Amino acid sequence: MTTRRKFLTQAGLLSAGVMIAPQLLSAKAGSKTVGLQLYSLRDQIPTDVKGNIAKVAAAGYKEVEPFGYSKEKGFWGLDAKAFSTLLKDNGLNAPSAHFGMDEYFVQGKTDALESYIEAANILGMTYVIVPSINGEVLKSADQFKQVAEKMNKAAELCGKSGLKLGYHNHNFEWKPVDGTTFYDVLLKETDPKLVHMEMDIYWVVRAGQDPVELFKKNPGRFALCHLKDMDKTDHNRNTEIGKGTIDFKTILRYSKTAGLKHFIVEQENYINIDPYISIAESAAYAKNILHV
């Protein structure tokens, strides 16, 4: 009990009457690394970036996926070098990050993309992730192809610096347009060797798609995934991994088929639970029950 209480206290996870199931607290030996998309803590991190990053590590994570970087503001006020040092000081690694790409896909400018590549290399990342695409350039099948072509070119630019480009989905990618969908075009028109997919499993399920079928039809395309569960009563909301409706056990049996290397917890909203208890529960479930 002393060890458990110490863990929760260090993580800032002790709150009135809320505890984590004992069987979830210790990761099994040999479990793979579980990451956290820091958007899960978008309200907390800006208030104390150093303190909150330490809490992420205490909650059981070894990897993080940052978001929101700009050359002017860095990562929550820290430049790439300082943020890299902060992560290392807490035993954390960032194999990927979400970088805003509107300037590139809408205006065709590469300035911001080049700054992302620079930051990614400073942090020792592998993947520059496109978090979404502005709907302004997704109104027709022709535009879908144009975006895919730009994605290939962005991936080539990343490749020159030793990086890989990835794409993170929501659910709009499966909206029918001109007899096809953006996701179908993306998979067909982008080079599998250049453009890697980060499957957000929650959004795939919410779109009415089957993650396993996507894995089978596109083997090796999915280098990363977001683990985000769907609340049982309100499918528009998230819940901790293992508490919702998504059958992660079945889906992740196909990890090798998919090509998955990184498993990243993300939670966009919380229902009557402290965010740090939530992310600790999800990390423990992913390690001990899903064995990722």
Side-chain angles (χ1 to χ4, degrees):
M1 177 61 73
T2 301
T3 302
R4 179 169 178 246
R5 179 170 290 274
K6 183 178 180 182
F7 165 83
L8 291 169
T9 301
Q10 288 175 339
L13 302 180
L14 272 180
S15 62
V18 185
M19 301 295 279
I20 300 174
Q23 66 270 25
L24 293 182
L25 279 178
S26 60
K28 291 186 178 180
S31 63
K32 297 177 184 176
T33 302
V34 178
L36 179 72
Q37 165 52 249
L38 293 179
Y39 188 76
S40 306
L41 301 171
R42 61 195 177 280
D43 295 327
Q44 289 76 27
I45 290 179
T47 65
D48 178 10
V49 60
K50 294 182 179 180
N52 285 304
I53 288 296
K55 288 181 180 181
V56 170
Y61 292 90
K62 292 296 183 182
E63 293 183 350
V64 294
E65 184 175 64
F67 73 98
Y69 173 83
S70 71
K71 192 168 186 177
E72 295 73 28
K73 298 181 179 180
F75 294 99
W76 299 283
L78 299 177
D79 63 25
K81 186 176 181 180
F83 189 67
S84 177
T85 298
L86 174 62
L87 295 184
K88 290 176 182 177
D89 287 346
N90 285 279
L92 295 168
N93 179 43
S96 60
H98 282 198
F99 295 100
M101 297 281 193
D102 279 1
E103 182 180 273
Y104 174 71
F105 286 106
V106 177
Q107 302 173 35
K109 297 179 180 179
T110 62
D111 293 3
L113 175 56
E114 290 168 0
S115 73
Y116 301 157
I117 290 170
E118 180 182 14
N121 274 320
I122 290 172
L123 270 87
M125 293 181 182
T126 302
Y127 301 94
V128 170
I129 306 292
V130 180
S132 188
I133 300 289
N134 192 310
E136 182 180 332
V137 294
L138 295 178
K139 295 179 179 179
S140 69
D142 286 341
Q143 283 189 318
F144 293 170
K145 291 182 179 180
Q146 291 169 12
V147 168
E149 183 180 356
K150 286 185 176 180
M151 206 169 288
N152 281 328
K153 291 180 179 178
E156 289 175 356
L157 189 60
C158 288
K160 291 178 181 179
S161 295
L163 296 166
K164 300 176 182 180
L165 188 79
Y167 179 75
H168 165 269
N169 66 275
H170 290 82
N171 60 341
F172 67 81
E173 286 87 352
W174 287 275
K175 178 183 177 181
V177 176
D178 296 341
T180 188
T181 71
F182 175 54
Y183 209 73
D184 286 337
V185 172
L186 204 57
L187 288 170
K188 182 180 178 181
E189 299 292 335
T190 55
D191 187 336
K193 296 179 181 178
L194 295 176
V195 179
H196 306 265
M197 311 306 285
E198 178 178 64
M199 179 187 282
D200 190 309
I201 294 173
Y202 166 85
W203 284 114
V204 170
V205 173
R206 188 164 158 183
Q209 302 298 309
D210 183 347
V212 172
E213 287 303 308
L214 284 168
F215 290 160
K216 288 179 178 178
K217 291 178 180 177
N218 305 278
R221 288 298 306 263
F222 301 88
L224 317 92
C225 71
H226 276 188
L227 304 177
K228 177 166 46 181
D229 215 340
M230 182 179 286
D231 185 68
K232 291 179 179 178
T233 57
D234 183 355
H235 291 181
N236 294 325
R237 297 186 67 88
N238 307 150
T239 190
E240 292 67 47
I241 311 303
K243 287 185 177 179
T245 65
I246 296 178
D247 185 2
F248 286 105
K249 291 180 181 179
T250 296
I251 293 168
L252 295 185
R253 287 189 194 125
Y254 294 86
S255 294
K256 289 185 179 180
T257 300
L260 287 171
K261 299 178 180 67
H262 299 279
F263 302 82
I264 304 163
V265 169
E266 181 184 30
Q267 188 146 335
E268 295 184 14
N269 42 69
Y270 301 91
I271 304 172
N272 300 321
I273 188 170
D274 180 276
Y276 288 101
I277 292 177
S278 172
I279 65 170
E281 286 187 1
S282 289
Y285 187 90
K287 293 175 184 177
N288 298 336
I289 309 300
L290 299 179
H291 306 300
V292 301

